[in-house]
Structure formats: C-alpha cells, structure tokens
Amino acid sequence: MISPATARTPAAAIPLAAPVELSRRVAELEERLGDPTDPGNPLGFAALMRADRAAVPFTEGEAVLDELAFHTEFVPRELGGRLERMDHLVRMLRPVFRRDVGLGMGYGMLSYMAANDVWTTGDERQRRWLAGLLLGGARATIAQHETAHSNDYVRSQMTARQAPGGFLLNGAKPMISNLDRAEALVLFCRTDPAPGSGSHSVLLLDPGELPREHATILPRHLAVGLRGLTFAGLEFRDCPIPPEALLGPQGSGIATALRSFQISRTVVSALAVAAVDTNLRTALSFDGEHRTRGRRTAGNDSATTESAFTGAFVNLLLYDSLAVVATRALHVRPAETSVYSAALKYLLPQLPIATMYDLSIVLGAGFHTDEGNRGIFQKHIRDVPVLSLGHAGTVACQATVIPQLPRLAARSWFREEPAPAALFEPHGALPPLDTAALSLACGRDSLSAALVTAAERIPGRGPAERALRELAGLLSAELAELRDRVLAMTAGDRALPVGAACFALLDRYALLLAAAAVLGVWQHSQGGDDPFLADASWAAAALHLVARRLGTAPVELPPECGLRIRHEIQLRHTTLRSFDLFNTPVPG
C-alpha cells in the first residue's frame, strides 16, 4: 500500500494567469456556458437533460470547466490555485449550479469537501500531494456517510486497528460519491473502540493504490437526484494502511469533521440559491409563453401566479441574506460560524426546496416533464434535496445549535455588540480565512444584534420603511421571548431537555437569524450601487414572511412593497439578471 505522502509524482500544476477581477471571471464563465435555453447549445438544458436521463456525467460541461481551469478554484493560492475567499468560491460556483447542480457537485464541490479537511488539517506533504492532483484536473472524494445509522458518522462501522507498520482497515462505506473517478479519498473511521471525542480519525488515501485483495468496490446505487454522480461503496478486509496516511493526529477525526462542516455546509447551502434562481426564471418564461398564446397558468388565476413569483423571489432573498452573512462570517466571525452555518443548512428544506415546490403550481402538468427547457425545473427539485442530506443534514444542524441555546440566551442575546459592517456587505473586503479560529461552540451571536438595534435605527421615511421598522420591533420581541423560554427551561442549572420543544426553539431561532441578516444587508446597502437592495420593500416583505412563519400577527404590508418587488422580478427577468443579492448578468 502506497500512502499519499509518498505516492506517484503529482501532476504538473496548470500555470495561472495574473489574478483577474472576480466579476470578470464570473462573466467569462457565464459567456462560455451560453444560453441554457438554446436547443443547439451543447451546454444547454436539452443537452444536460439527455445526460441526466442516461444517468451519466455531463461531460460537455466538464470539458468547458476544464478549459477554464475551473479546478484551480478549489486549491488555495499558496498551493498554486485561486482559492482565497469563501464568498468568491460561492460566486464562481453559482453559474455552474444555476446550470446543473449535478455538474457543480460532481466536477468540483465533492473534491473541495474532501480537500477542505486536507487544507485545514493535513501536513505539508499531504497538502502538496492533493494540490498537485487537483491542479492537474483529478478528482477527490470523501467517505463519511453511515447509511446504517441515519448518517450518524460517529457510529462509524469502519475501523482502523493499529498493527505493525500502520493500521488494518475493516468495514464498509456503502455510499461514496464519485468513487470511480476519484484519485484521492478522505476516509472517516473509528480508531478507538471506546466512546468519546478521540474515538475517530481521518485517513487520506489513493484509491488506485488500494490492494484489491483487501479492498472491494461495491455495486453502484442509482439515486433519484444527482443521477450523473456515481454512488458506490467500498469494503475493506484487513487492508494495510501506513501511518503517514493519518490526516492530523490520531483521534482528531471528530474535531476535524466538526470544523470542516462549518465551511462545507455553508458553501453547499449557499449554492442552493442558484437552483431556485433557475427555477424562478423557468416558471416566469413558462408563464410568459402561455400568456402570449392567450392562456393562463396556475388554474387560470393570475393572482395566484403573481403570488407564487413574489413569494419565491422574497424567499430567495431572505435565504441568500443569511447565506451571504454565513459565508462572510467564516472570515469575519469564525468563532460564531458554527451557529450560522448550521442555521443556514437547517433552513435549506424550509426555504429553497419548499420555494421550488411552490413555483411548481405555475407549470401545472408541465412540472413532470424531464425534457427540454422545462425539464431543468424537475431536475433541480430532484437534485437540491440531496444537498440537505448526509453527515451535515438537519439532525446534525440541530445537534450543533440546540446545546448552545442556553449559553446564547444567558450571555449573548441582547448583550452582544452588533456585528461589523463587513459581515453584511456582499462585495466588501474580507480578512484572510483563519480555520484555526473556527470554534465548535463559542456561545456568541453578534448577528442577532442587528435585529435588536434595527428598530431604533430605521428612520421610517415612507410606508415601506415604517412597516420594516415595526416588523423589526416585532421580531426583536420574538427573540426576547425565545430567550425567556430557553432560560425558563434551563433554570436551576438544568440541562436543556431533549425533545420536540427544542426543535421548535431552533426553528424559530434560525428564522430570526435570517431576519437579522436581511436587516443587516438592507442597512448596509444604503447609498450603494443597487437601488433595489437599498429599498425597504424587499426587506419588509422578507420580515413579513418570517413573522407569518413564526405565527405572529404581522403588520399589513403597504401596496407599494408588492409593486416594487413585482417590478424588480420582471426587470431582472427581461434584462437577464440573476435573482440573488448579487444581481449579475446571466446568459439568455
């Protein structure tokens, strides 16, 4: 068995040009992908849907990303790549995810999720070995899923027992994405039978060097979503592993995973916005075509259709506000990121996925097609839920945040100083990423202070601002009630009880964090380049949506809010602009 530290000579790194401004690189990528609705475009929806029906990778898309040296986006700049800021990584990946979630995951994100552990924990030899592979266009993958235990990775059935010359690996991982294409494998396994935080370790392996008599690839599983990815298993029987394959110290696996989750779950969750963007655009185009032909959609009820579009756009902006804040918090407030990243991933099924289903009413029976331009709508609905599953799914997010609620209620909420402006400025500068500053649980939350102080700072210059100010005050009172409920449940040094009540507390807290992010983004957009983000209409509508989900009696939104939002939807649709906070040009 050859370890990564001493394996074959890494592929030569692709030479990089001088750093190019981010928006230019995004525009170049969009231009190269071309109009997705053009049936003659080999990178369009028709072509990628053919690959999806055949359950094969979208090779045409991968070839274009190779031409653009897109794989360098996942390697840190000090190792020869382009990766410096996590928000820039999200910006670069969104055009790919708008086109095809499977392309984005299969080409790069799975490699990055594996590499993330190496960049943060690996030694210099391991980092350079993997960097050489990725810069040469190779793939990496990660094996953490435990399907026999509802993906509770701590209950790993994969064991690495110490033996002369290293370890003997036994057990199986039944679901590993892209295993057949990977030249590097990050494997999570148990190295100590005793329970505790030091029971697991992480290994960095070369799948091609595994001895066949000790390692067997299990049959492929065909998934409903991400059909272009191959989900296969790997079974080990006394497989010899050298000690230098350890990624970080022995027993550090759980700490490594919990820190890397904060980065990977934030990036993946933020990319879900791109799929909602495409589905909103698809539904708008479908509705426009029917109206041109004298037909109507959504049960011949134009009010229902407009409500679906408005609700989808507001939901997208609400979720993207928290996505932007959580991504920037990795640089600005790394110690607090465990809460923000988990809240963002927790809301993925409730906001982006639910929004796409809400939009399906516009397509009617057309929702079921898997061909042509409409087929992408169904494909995104199948693909995006897969992002919310696995080791960093809903249950993992609950387990991350709920134990921190007592400390947050007692020491942080209504006491913390407001977060800095850098947290809320989508295009603002950021300090370098310091992964060592990521905390497993720090008990602090400066984001919620934006909700607490907003009501006092909103001037109320018009009906929309006055509604926003009242809604901010209403939601600040909700945060106070949440604090009181948590403190009452933990009075007398009692531990927070486990049960449905705690799940409801997290549900409310995650929505309040999203509302705080909206207020922060809106406040720091005043005087900026985007007049829509500086308008209170979208922020008031987003907070109104949160208040309704919390079951409060929100104020009535002034009619101008709906008019302004509907105008922006049509403007972005007709001028080919993205529906997220960045409002960038898209091909069409």
Side-chain angles (χ1 to χ4, degrees), residues 321 324-325 424 426 516-525 533 538 581:
S321 296
V324 165
V325 166
F424 304 105
V518 166
L519 285 167
V521 170
W522 173 77
Q523 287 179 321
H524 291 90
S525 296
L533 290 185
W538 75 273
L581 290 177

Side-chain angles (χ1 to χ4, degrees), residues 47-59:
L48 72 88
M49 289 307 301
R50 286 193 293 271
D52 180 70
R53 288 192 295 274
V56 296
F58 185 33
T59 54

Side-chain angles (χ1 to χ4, degrees), residues 482-542:
L482 176 65
R483 177 198 58 190
D484 294 344
R485 289 172 64 180
V486 173
L487 292 177
M489 294 173 72
T490 56
D493 293 328
R494 289 179 297 172
L496 192 66
V498 177
C502 293
F503 301 153
L505 295 178
L506 173 56
D507 195 67
R508 302 180 78 81
Y509 180 42
L511 288 168
L512 290 171
L513 284 175
V518 166
L519 285 167
V521 170
W522 173 77
Q523 287 179 321
H524 291 90
S525 296
Q526 305 307 302
D529 297 331
D530 191 332
F532 177 72
L533 290 185
D535 193 305
S537 296
W538 75 273

Side-chain angles (χ1 to χ4, degrees), residues 98 143 175 362 365 452 473:
R98 268 197 297 269
M175 292 285 284
V362 178
V452 176

Side-chain angles (χ1 to χ4, degrees), residues 180-519:
D180 62 328
R181 309 174 72 193
E183 295 185 39
L185 171 66
V186 173
L187 181 69
F188 193 81
C189 60
R190 178 179 287 276
T191 49
D192 187 340
S197 59
S199 58
H200 288 70
S201 301
V202 184
L203 302 175
L204 177 60
L205 307 173
D206 181 343
E209 297 294 332
L210 294 172
R212 293 186 179 183
E213 64 272 22
H214 295 287
T216 303
I217 296 180
L218 304 177
R220 177 187 180 184
H221 300 273
L222 189 61
V224 174
L226 301 180
R227 289 169 55 87
L229 273 64
T230 53
F231 294 88
L234 190 58
E235 184 177 20
F236 295 94
R237 300 173 305 279
D238 288 333
C239 185
I241 303 295
E244 56 266 28
L246 268 176
L247 195 58
Q250 183 173 337
S252 65
I254 292 178
T256 296
L258 290 175
R259 283 190 170 87
S260 67
F261 287 172
Q262 295 180 41
I263 300 175
S264 61
R265 67 161 54 121
T266 301
V267 173
V268 170
S269 301
L271 292 171
V273 170
V276 183
D277 190 308
T278 293
N279 278 18
L280 175 55
R281 193 175 312 280
T282 303
L284 284 162
S285 298
F286 179 85
D287 182 62
E289 292 169 4
H290 273 57
R291 290 180 185 275
T292 301
R293 298 171 186 167
R295 303 175 184 176
R296 288 186 178 180
T297 54
N300 293 323
D301 185 351
S302 60
T304 302
T305 303
E306 288 186 355
S307 177
F309 292 147
T310 302
F313 186 40
V314 172
N315 261 317
L316 190 155
L317 294 174
L318 170 65
Y319 188 78
D320 199 23
S321 296
L322 184 56
V324 165
V325 166
T327 306
R328 296 180 68 81
L330 290 166
H331 296 261
V332 180
R333 284 289 187 268
E336 302 173 21
T337 302
S338 66
V339 169
Y340 306 147
S341 64
L344 180 68
K345 189 68 176 287
Y346 180 77
L347 290 176
L348 178 57
Q350 300 182 38
L351 293 179
I353 295 175
T355 295
M356 292 194 292
Y357 277 104
D358 291 343
L359 281 170
S360 67
I361 191 175
V362 178
L363 273 68
F367 162 70
H368 299 286
T369 186
D370 63 353
E371 297 183 354
N373 296 330
R374 296 178 199 166
I376 194 62
F377 191 100
Q378 184 209 86
K379 185 179 189 305
H380 278 335
I381 282 185
R382 285 188 282 112
D383 287 352
V384 173
V386 181
L387 303 180
S388 68
L389 301 176
H391 59 273
T394 298
V395 174
C397 297
Q398 291 171 330
T400 297
V401 179
I402 288 175
Q404 297 189 59
L405 291 179
R407 290 181 63 191
L408 291 167
R411 304 177 188 178
S412 183
W413 297 336
F414 296 94
R415 296 186 179 189
E416 200 78 44
E417 288 295 319
L423 194 65
F424 304 105
E425 298 170 340
H427 300 282
L430 286 174
L433 178 66
D434 180 8
T435 57
L438 295 171
S439 172
L440 303 186
C442 79
R444 297 183 60 186
D445 167 21
S446 58
L447 172 58
S448 64
L451 187 63
V452 176
T453 60
E456 304 169 359
R457 298 180 179 178
I458 298 174
R461 291 166 294 203
E465 278 196 11
R466 287 192 288 273
L468 180 61
R469 183 172 59 189
E470 188 170 346
L471 284 161
L474 182 68
L475 295 181
S476 180
E478 283 292 321
L479 180 62
E481 182 181 343
L482 176 65
R483 177 198 58 190
D484 294 344
R485 289 172 64 180
V486 173
L487 292 177
M489 294 173 72
T490 56
D493 293 328
R494 289 179 297 172
L496 192 66
V498 177
C502 293
F503 301 153
L505 295 178
L506 173 56
D507 195 67
R508 302 180 78 81
Y509 180 42
L511 288 168
L512 290 171
L513 284 175
V518 166
L519 285 167

